[in-house]
Every structure is written in C-alpha cells, then in structure tokens.
Amino acid sequence: MSKINTDMHRILKERFNHDTFRPGQSDIISSVLSGTDTLAVLPTGGGKSLCYQLPALMFKGLTIVVSPLIALMQDQVDSLHNAGIEALLLNSALDWDTYCVNMDLVRSGVVKLLFCAPETLSTGRMQDLLAGIEVSCLAIDEAHCISEWGHDFRPDYNSLSTIRNLFPKAVCLALTATATPKVRKDIKDSLGLKNCTEFVGSFNRPNIFLEVTPKWRKKEGGANLQVEQFLEEHMNESGIIYCFSRKQVDELSAYLKRKHFFVLPYHAGLSSEKREKNQQKFICGKVDIIVATVAFGMGINKSDVRFVLHYDLPKSLEQYYQEIGRAGRDGKPAHALLLYTYADTRKINFFIDEKSGVEYDSAKEQLRGMIEYCESKGCRRKVLLAHFGEKYESYESETTKDSKQSGCRSCDICMGGKSVNVDVTIPVQKLLSCIIRTNERYGAGYVIDVLLGSRQKRIIENKHNKLSTWGIGKEYSKDDWFQIVQLLIEEGFLRKSSDYNVLSLTQDARDSLSERAIVMLPFVPSGKTGGLK
Ligand code: ADP
Ligand code: ZN
C-alpha cells in the first residue's frame, strides 16, 4: 500500500470512525488527492461527503464545498465539529458578526472545510477573502444543478464556471447522485473539467421492489381507496406517499387520517415550524406515514422507510429515483409503488407549457422517459438503470423455464406481472355465476368449457348448453380462465374440494357477488380469445 493509501485508511478510521470505504470512495479520494479533476456519480446514501471531507484533512490548503442546500450544510458542519474537524459555513443567512469571525478563522488557516452556497461564493467580499489564501480543492456538491438537462437546474450554479477559474491550482471534484450521460457531459463542460476522471457507482438498489400499477379510477373505487388497501398490507410500516400538489397532499392525508392511519402532511405551503415538526415526528417514528410533495425528503436520514408510494406521476426518472431511494436504506426489502394513469401527464404538461427553449425540451424529454418507464413491458430495473447509463446484468443467462425466475426478480414485470391489479369484476361475475348455475359440482376445466360454449358430450347431457352462462366467456382463452380461477382461490373466493377438485364459492365470493363489488386482481390476459366447438 502506498503512503497515501495508508494515510487514507488511517484517517478514515481515526477521524471518521469507519472501518472500510464504501464502493467507489477510495478510488474517488485517491483521484482527488493525486490532483486530478474528478466527477463522481454515486447514488444517494453512497457516501459522497466523505469524498471531499477526507481529502480536505490531507490537503495543505482550504477545501471549498459548494452546495445549494443551506440547511444540510449546517448539519454537516455540526457533525464535522463533533468529530473534531474544523469546518465552517458562510452564507447570506449569517449575521454580520458571525460572518466576520468566520472570515478571520478562514484567514488564519485553521479551517479545513468551508461550505458556501454558490451565490455567496460569487460575492465580491468573499472573493477578496479567498484571494489571500491557498485553496487546494473545490468540491461541487449536487453538481447536476449546473445542467439545464438535470431535474433541478439552478441558475446560481452558472456562476461556478467563473469561480472555478479563480482557483486554477485547486483540484475540482464534482459530485452528484443523479446524472444521465447528458448531464455528466454538461457538468464537465461547464466546470471545464479537462482530462478528468469519472466514477459512476452502481445505481441498482436490489432490495427495492419496483412496481407500477394502473391508478384506480372513480368507478374502481378511486385512488384513495387503492392507497388505503396498500397501507393495510403495510401496517405499522414507515413510508412516504408523494403527491403532485399541495392540495392533493392535504386531501389524501385528511382521508387517511379519517381511516385511522398515522399520517402527517408535508409541503411548502405549511409553516416551516410545522414542516420541521412533522418531519421530526416521521424520523423518530411517532407517525408511520408522511404524505408529501417533492419538497420532502432532501437529506432525510431514516433508514427503515419500507415503502414509497407515488400517488401521482413524477416529472422525471431522476426525481423518481431520488424519491424511491429514500426507501430501504437499511438494505432490508422495501416497496416502491407508482399509481399510473396517462391522464396525470396533463398536470405535468401544464407546467411544462410555461417553459420555453431548452428548458421546455428538457422537461418534455424527462416526462417521456418517465412515461416509457411506466408503460414498459420489460424489466423496470433495466429501464431505470439504462436511463442512468448503466447496463443492468440480470439473471437472464441462468433463466429457467419458469418466467418468475427471470430478470431482476424484484420488479412487477419480472415477477410475471403478478402484482399489477386490473379490474376483473365482469369476468369474475361470469365465472362465479357459472359455478353457481352448475350447482358447485364441477372442476375448473368443466366450468371453463361451459363459459367457452363447448358442446362436448357431458355438457349436452347435463343440458348445461342451455344455461345463461353457456358461451358467455369467449373473450378470454382457456388459459386465461384458469388463471382467474387460480387467482380467486388465492384471493379466498373459491375453494377446491380435495377429492375431485370441485369448485365452490366462499362467503366472501357470495358477498362480493351480491354487493356487485369491484374485484381487482393481478390478472394478465394472454390477448387470445376462447370459443370452442
Ligand atoms: P450521500 O451524500 O452520497 O447521499 P452521505 O455522504 O450523506 O451520502 O453518506 C451517507 C451515510 O453513509 C452517512 O451516514 C455516512 O456517515 C455513511 N458513510 C459514508 N461513508 C462510509 C463508510 N466508508 N463506512 C460507513 N459509513 C459511511
Ligand atoms: Zn425486473
């Protein structure tokens, strides 16, 4: 091990109290320490901060960290202080006295890390201050904000290209959690990172189950009911529900509260005290569920979030990825469910139409990516990772005949579309009445033949070709009907006798029939129709 390498490991242990580097960290840190401009793309939670914090302790001069998130910077500075590391924050929110004291500290050279918002860094007095000191490293956090192709473009970040030129000797480290190949190129161009090394960590989060399901319309009971049913399957689990608008957040959280779930709302329309309070209650587990707009989640450090439910369509896959990434940080199974209806694109397009030029094009393209993901017939993980320029190596090479074994094994599509519920009220009514009409005395094969209008001998002899349910199921194939039977058995609607596999209805099924209840099941029709001679 080289001297630098040994020092890195020692500092990791002594100053940060970690035993090993996370994937990518040591390569990124070595690259920065060697003075090479570096672009690091690591997923949220991947440990980006360490990539500038650790080198900062090894560099002679100052490390400037640019971040757009003032609140998060304060947290970082506090935790660095706790670890005995000299870090400071300079921003427009500081009062004059503190600002002056901090300036003096920077000048004296004891400070190793200086955190600033981009707009602070471009002020004259800041640049005067920095002119007199040695800057070793310029770290740009959330570097995707520089790109108009990113999901979070911030005009303030434009000034960074000029700032970069003020410190030609400093090595530049750009960090981000979300960067498509296009955004990566933008970052490198804008910051003038020439001959830079690029590290892209894997974006795969194998413990998150990815699912997109049709959003229930009114006649199916509505999306609120759909959420309620999902939550019933996730009792006492901690989760986040994302909605498009504040109004939707208020409505849904009120609805769920009436249904006795422990929920709180979160959006920019609430006072900052209220937001802080609700967020805190969620983090410490006093409430299970936060219903929120995109405003929620930046820097949330809660490892046991078990589900993220998207009530509305996100604007981009970047946004979606970041939001679902808040689930399952502890590595245990988590569920990302998106309720999809094409109609929701209208709300987003409404805002896109306000934009113009490259912003308009970019927003349109991002929305298209999101729609493609939702409408994909292939593995969701593959589509999602491909969006970030990552090729997903699935298990396909070792695929067995069982389709449930192929792909990522952790998305609705790879699990055979099992969890996409569709409205099967009508076919279920047909099947159940056919079983009743034949007096609950036959197996699935026979009942299905009746539905398909078969004239086989036994059916004619029993005069079942005279039943009103004879031949009313030709819209589906025999296999489709078997699938429905199987699903109804799993659902507890049908019972199979142990001897002759005779089908009969449970009380649930009878209730559902008499109430004309809507039945949603993960049915995947083959597209073929039946019909028998
Ligand atoms: P990011 O900015 O990439 O989202 P952070 O820098 O906030 O991630 O790090 C996420 C968490 O991982 C933090 O709690 C941090 O202390 C922890 N962490 C970072 N590096 C390591 C490491 N090498 N070993 C253990 N924990 C680490
Ligand atoms: Zn998959």
Side-chain angles (χ1 to χ4, degrees), residues 49-80:
S49 328
L50 189 82
C51 299
Y52 53 79
Q53 290 176 353
L54 195 151
L57 300 184
M58 296 175 75
F59 282 130
K60 193 158 151 273
L62 181 71
T63 291
I64 301 174
V65 184
V66 180
S67 164
L69 308 164
I70 293 179
L72 295 189
M73 283 196 268
Q74 189 59 57
D75 286 352
Q76 251 198 73
V77 170
D78 292 345
S79 65
L80 285 167

Side-chain angles (χ1 to χ4, degrees), residues 99 187 250 282 303 376 477 479 484:
Y99 191 88
I187 295 173
D250 289 336
F282 176 66
S303 65
S376 165
S477 71
D479 282 345
I484 295 176

Side-chain angles (χ1 to χ4, degrees), residues 12 16-23 25 42-53 76 79 141-142 175-177 299 301 329:
L12 180 71
F16 295 94
N17 201 23
H18 297 319
D19 293 320
T20 50
F21 285 107
R22 293 236 174 112
Q25 281 180 334
L42 283 182
T44 305
K48 283 182 288 298
S49 328
L50 189 82
C51 299
Y52 53 79
Q53 290 176 353
Q76 251 198 73
S79 65
D141 207 358
E142 313 286 344
L175 301 133
T176 171
N301 223 342
R329 295 265 179 97

Side-chain angles (χ1 to χ4, degrees), residues 317-463:
L317 278 172
E318 279 93 335
Q319 183 195 328
Y320 174 67
Y321 180 85
Q322 210 153 60
E323 288 168 354
I324 63 169
R326 293 179 183 129
R329 295 265 179 97
D330 54 9
K332 294 185 187 142
H335 194 144
L337 174 67
L338 190 158
L339 310 183
Y340 174 65
T341 165
Y342 188 79
D344 280 347
T345 59
R346 230 178 296 140
K347 304 185 212 169
I348 299 173
N349 273 319
F350 181 79
F351 285 94
I352 295 181
D353 289 340
E354 308 265 284
K355 301 176 192 279
S356 58
V358 68
E359 255 194 281
Y360 175 88
D361 294 342
S362 146
K364 275 279 182 204
E365 184 172 306
Q366 288 173 15
L367 179 58
R368 234 179 345 260
M370 195 63 233
I371 296 169
E372 273 167 20
Y373 172 82
C374 293
E375 297 188 347
S376 165
K377 299 276 182 284
C379 173
R380 306 247 184 240
R381 197 158 251 100
K382 212 166 184 167
V383 178
L384 190 58
L385 294 178
H387 183 76
F388 294 106
E390 185 175 338
K391 187 172 174 332
Y392 179 63
E393 303 292 347
S394 70
Y395 298 92
E396 257 143 20
S397 49
E398 41 177 284
T399 302
T400 61
K401 270 196 218 127
D402 184 353
S403 66
K404 285 182 198 164
Q405 289 294 307
S406 66
C408 75
R409 300 178 200 184
S410 192
C411 79
D412 51 355
I413 305 274
C414 292
M415 295 312 281
K418 267 277 168 205
S419 23
V420 185
N421 281 337
V422 296
D423 186 344
V424 285
T425 312
I426 301 292
V428 166
Q429 282 173 356
K430 289 181 180 177
L431 178 78
L432 296 181
S433 16
C434 194
I435 296 171
I436 293 172
R437 296 273 146 75
T438 51
N439 300 315
E440 302 176 77
R441 285 172 53 197
Y442 297 90
Y446 184 89
V447 175
I448 291 170
D449 282 345
V450 174
L451 281 172
L452 292 176
S454 162
R455 294 177 200 281
Q456 56 168 277
K457 204 161 144 238
R458 199 149 70 112
I459 289 178
I460 306 284
E461 279 172 21
N462 291 332
K463 298 202 168 56

Side-chain angles (χ1 to χ4, degrees), residues 135-190:
V135 176
S136 294
C137 176
L138 180 65
I140 316 286
D141 207 358
E142 313 286 344
H144 60 274
C145 294
I146 214 167
S147 168
E148 293 195 48
W149 287 98
H151 62 103
D152 196 14
F153 171 63
R154 291 174 193 238
D156 282 336
Y157 262 61
N158 271 336
S159 61
L160 290 177
S161 38
T162 354
I163 287 164
R164 162 92 180 108
N165 294 330
L166 295 177
F167 311 105
K169 288 209 195 95
V171 61
C172 185
L173 168 62
L175 301 133
T176 171
T178 50
T180 58
K182 207 170 197 160
V183 172
R184 267 183 251 160
K185 184 172 180 307
D186 249 9
I187 295 173
K188 284 184 285 184
D189 291 348
S190 314

